[in-house]
Amino acid sequence: MKILVAVVFVTILAALAAAGVFMLRRPKPDEDATAAHSRMARALAVRVGVSVALFLFILLSWQLGWIRPTGVPLGH
């Protein structure tokens, strides 16, 4: 479970990095500027979609009993 969450988190960071690269890179001379913006928007949409999917997966895992919240022990 921890490995799956870590892999999905790395995927989220990769999509965010890709969006940053698409934002900073200038469009090629033969390419329209809207294509670069489209790639950046797609990368950000993937990041948001994967983030929501991870959140829902964690909630489902909790409901099915695959994971249990441990909480922070107070007063120790």
Side-chain angles (χ1 to χ4, degrees):
M1 182 67 64
K2 291 179 185 180
I3 294 173
L4 179 66
V5 171
V7 168
V8 172
F9 187 68
V10 168
T11 303
I12 292 168
L13 291 177
L16 183 63
V21 167
F22 292 141
M23 180 181 67
L24 294 175
R25 187 178 296 166
R26 292 181 180 210
K28 297 175 184 172
D30 60 339
E31 186 179 44
D32 188 17
T34 57
H37 294 295
S38 167
R39 286 193 305 255
M40 181 185 66
R42 190 177 322 120
L44 289 173
V46 166
R47 182 187 68 87
V48 169
V50 173
S51 298
V52 169
L54 176 63
F55 180 74
L56 293 175
F57 178 73
I58 290 173
L59 283 179
L60 179 69
S61 299
W62 174 63
Q63 284 290 337
L64 294 176
W66 297 344
I67 58 174
R68 280 189 279 165
T70 58
V72 177
L74 298 175
H76 288 116

